[in-house]
Amino acid sequence: MITIKNVNHNINGTPILRDINLDIPDKSITALIGSNGAGKSTLFSLIARLLPLQQGSIHIDELDVSHSKSTAIAQKLAILSQENNIQSRITVRDLLLFGRYPHNQGRVTPEDQQIVDQALQRFELEPLQQRYLSALSGGQRQRALVAMTFCQQTKHVILDEPLNNLDMYHARELMRLLRQLTTEQGLTTIMVVHDINMAAAYADHIIALKNGQIVMQGTPDEMITIDNIQTIFNLDTEVVSHKSKPLVIHHL
Ligand SMILES: Nc1ncnc2c1ncn2[C@@H]1O[C@H](COP(=O)(O)OP(=O)(O)OP(=O)(O)O)[C@@H](O)[C@H]1O
Ligand SMILES: [Mg+2]
């Protein structure tokens, strides 16, 4: 469980996050939604301590994120950031092996190789494993980065826009895989998703941020209504029910 209490965050005197209080439940997928600039990535950076916490507290299970060693955090939580500056003269296989670093400090074991083999297979990356990241398409690189995040084998996984650059096939395959991995391995998966219908179809909980504040949270059925989408995104939509899931029609 990730517990966030009374978190406020300012950048150069401007409030970016205000009064954030959240309990993110285990063994489930939580989707974080909200407009560009709402504060989603900032919140993720605070949870993973990529940014120092200014006020409040964040716990990952019993671990106080402000007062823990980086290695202790890395063994509990893996993050895929929205922007990545990973050295691109590295093969896909080596990138995934790099994901094992918090466990092996660079001394690769046969178990690490096995974990990487499984991930290459599950993320459909086997044919690309010897390719350099610099020689991949945007979507292929994104899939490799998501697979690396899972190779860290942490109970908590935070993914900032994992569907970026993915085509329809790979976006759906990834959401299905995230669902399977979360259920099979009892993970706490938190992701930023801009495609509201993907959140509706695959998330257990949805949290909406607006102007740095949590405006509402609930199950997809509770959250995805015409009025709520209007409140969160200032957008007129239609919402229908398809195969017992809410479906937002927003492109017409
Ligand atoms: N280093 C920074 N300096 C100044 N302002 C910043 C900085 N980082 C973020 N911000 C501002 O903080 C706000 C929240 O940014 P954040 O990246 O968390 O948004 P987001 O919800 O992830 O948006 P997106 O959907 O576009 O990724 C934005 O207004 C942004 O301009
Ligand atoms: Mg962001």
Side-chain angles (χ1 to χ4, degrees):
M1 163 109 99
I2 295 179
T3 312
I4 302 174
K5 289 209 173 104
N6 302 324
V7 165
N8 283 282
H9 193 79
N10 295 322
I11 299 181
N12 302 330
T14 306
I16 303 294
L17 292 172
R18 283 178 286 169
D19 300 326
I20 306 289
N21 285 284
L22 275 178
D23 286 330
I24 298 172
D26 284 339
K27 302 184 200 300
S28 57
I29 297 183
T30 298
L32 187 57
I33 63 169
S35 309
N36 294 140
K40 304 177 298 296
S41 296
T42 306
L43 182 60
F44 275 9
S45 295
L46 292 173
I47 296 172
R49 210 179 59 191
L50 304 180
L51 278 176
L53 194 60
Q54 297 172 350
Q55 213 183 80
S57 69
I58 298 179
H59 285 80
I60 306 168
D61 297 334
E62 71 296 339
L63 198 78
D64 181 340
V65 168
S66 295
H67 299 108
S68 299
K69 289 188 174 166
S70 298
T71 47
I73 297 173
Q75 287 179 2
K76 281 257 182 208
L77 175 131
I79 182 166
L80 173 74
S81 297
Q82 189 173 356
E83 312 292 343
N84 284 288
N85 306 313
I86 297 207
Q87 171 47 263
S88 53
R89 285 297 290 177
I90 180 175
T91 64
V92 170
R93 186 178 187 86
D94 285 346
L95 176 75
L96 269 56
L97 280 169
F98 185 64
R100 300 296 305 151
Y101 191 87
H103 301 276
N104 66 23
Q105 274 76 46
R107 298 171 65 147
V108 174
T109 66
E111 191 199 354
D112 295 324
Q113 299 283 6
Q114 200 187 347
I115 288 166
V116 166
D117 282 334
Q118 285 167 0
L120 287 166
Q121 196 221 335
R122 290 198 82 165
F123 284 84
E124 298 184 37
L125 289 166
E126 278 170 319
L128 300 176
Q129 62 175 304
Q130 298 305 341
R131 297 264 298 272
Y132 286 107
L133 283 200
S134 54
L136 298 181
S137 74
Q140 291 169 335
R141 193 174 312 123
Q142 179 74 357
R143 284 164 47 221
L145 289 165
V146 176
M148 179 195 74
T149 310
F150 275 90
C151 282
Q152 295 171 47
Q153 292 205 323
T154 55
K155 281 283 174 209
H156 304 81
V157 181
I158 301 188
L159 305 166
D160 199 345
E161 302 195 26
L163 303 182
N164 269 357
N165 292 318
L166 299 193
D167 63 42
M168 281 192 283
Y169 170 85
H170 285 106
R172 189 178 68 183
E173 286 306 297
L174 182 61
M175 291 306 294
R176 285 180 172 173
L177 185 55
L178 295 182
R179 183 74 259 172
Q180 279 168 13
L181 291 167
T182 301
T183 306
E184 267 171 31
Q185 299 176 15
L187 305 179
T188 309
T189 304
I190 314 168
M191 53 194 293
V192 172
V193 205
H194 282 300
D195 184 337
I196 191 92
N197 290 323
M198 285 300 196
Y202 292 98
D204 300 297
H205 316 277
I206 300 179
I207 297 169
L209 266 183
K210 186 176 185 180
N211 299 329
Q213 288 182 299
I214 293 165
V215 279
M216 57 187 83
Q217 54 179 316
T219 62
D221 279 335
E222 290 162 352
M223 290 288 289
I224 303 208
T225 65
I226 292 173
D227 288 348
N228 289 348
I229 304 282
Q230 176 63 244
T231 303
I232 301 164
F233 294 103
N234 301 322
L235 183 71
D236 287 326
T237 56
E238 287 176 43
V239 177
V240 296
S241 182
H242 181 70
K243 295 195 175 175
S244 72
K245 306 263 188 202
L247 177 73
V248 182
I249 298 167
H250 55 87
H251 59 297
L252 298 174

